[in-house]
């Protein structure tokens, strides 16, 4: 059974903290994605990676960075968490032109 | 990027009825995909239809694609309470990204 695993389902962090969200996939997929999902705004792409050490900015990269040192792992970093980054974060992976597989989501609250 | 628009934004029907959701998009595509999201969870892929296909079935799901109108529809027949979820379309274009619609929230009343 294919799997995308996000390190946490729920996370509470303080303003100004550096936050790491980890995502691991076991399908040897080239492409990995980080989205945030807010009510009424749908899925918005933060960053994606099409290969190891390769990354591209999505629609809302400000305040975020990513790391992909190994093919199976794609990390999202909030350099200095702010309350407007409270959201649901979704990681996905896929082979180009095929379906995407999603993790279970991380609901991050920044207080 | 959000290029898809889904219609309706919300739909509430009785169990056993059919549910139809529509998706419109703007650019050329390789394929169009439909996903389901249960409350507070990740998305699950339902069906993929390629640009040279017009209709596809999977169990109680029927998807149509009209590339001349840049639109797709998802029909769920004989709905069940477990179908209550949000449904998203996503288009797969010429780059690595999927472009997402805003979603339709479906509620099945018992």
């Amino acid at each position: 059974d294919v799997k995308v695993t996000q390190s946490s389902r729920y996370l509470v962090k303080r303003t100004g903290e550096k936050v790491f969200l980890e995502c691991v996939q076991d399908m040897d997929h080239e492409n990995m994605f980080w989205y945030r999902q807010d009510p009424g705004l749908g899925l918005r792409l933060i960053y994606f990676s099409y290969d190891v050490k390769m990354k591209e900015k999505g629609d809302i990269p400000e305040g975020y960075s990513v790391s992909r040192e190994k093919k199976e792992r794609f990390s999202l970093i909030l350099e200095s968490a702010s309350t407007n980054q409270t959201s649901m974060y979704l990681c996905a992976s896929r082979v180009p032109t095929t379906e995407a597989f999603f993790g279970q989501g991380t609901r991050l609250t920044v207080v | 990027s959000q290029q898809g628009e889904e219609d309706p934004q919300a739909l509430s029907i009785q169990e056993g009825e059919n549910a139809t959701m529509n998706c419109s998009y703007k650019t050329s595509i390789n394929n169009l995909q439909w996903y389901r999201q249960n409350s507070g969870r990740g998305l699950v892929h339902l069906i993929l239809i390629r640009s040279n296909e017009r209709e596809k079935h999977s169990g109680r799901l029927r998807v149509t694609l009209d590339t001349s109108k840049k639109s797709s529809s998802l029909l769920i027949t004989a709905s069940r309470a477990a179908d209550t979820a949000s449904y998203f379309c996503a288009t797969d274009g010429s780059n690595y990204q999927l472009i997402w619609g805003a979603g339709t929230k479906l509620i099945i009343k018992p």
Side-chain angles (χ1 to χ4, degrees), chain A residues 9 37 43 59 94 97 100, chain B residues 1-2 35 37 41 92 100:
Chain A
R9 281 289 319 274
Q37 185 179 29
L43 272 75
D59 300 314
R94 72 178 193 137
T97 74
Chain B
S1 296
Q2 299 285 334
Y35 291 78
Q37 184 181 34
R41 312 290 268 180
D92 197 349
W100 296 89

Side-chain angles (χ1 to χ4, degrees), chain A residues 9 31 33 35 37 41-45 48 50 59 88 90 94 97-100 102-104 107, chain B residues 1-2 30-31 33 35 37 40-45 48 50 88 92 95-98 100-102:
Chain A
R9 281 289 319 274
N31 297 169
F33 305 83
Y35 297 93
Q37 185 179 29
L41 296 178
L43 272 75
R44 293 184 291 167
L45 182 64
F48 72 99
Y50 52 90
D59 300 314
M88 169 72 100
L90 294 165
R94 72 178 193 137
T97 74
T98 66
E99 68 203 84
F102 280 82
Q104 76 276 31
R107 188 166 293 282
Chain B
S1 296
Q2 299 285 334
N30 293 317
N31 64 63
Q33 304 177 26
Y35 291 78
Q37 184 181 34
R41 312 290 268 180
L43 281 73
V44 175
H45 180 261
L48 181 153
R50 302 203 180 278
F88 294 86
D92 197 349
N95 61 20
Y96 298 98
Q97 298 183 42
L98 285 171
W100 296 89

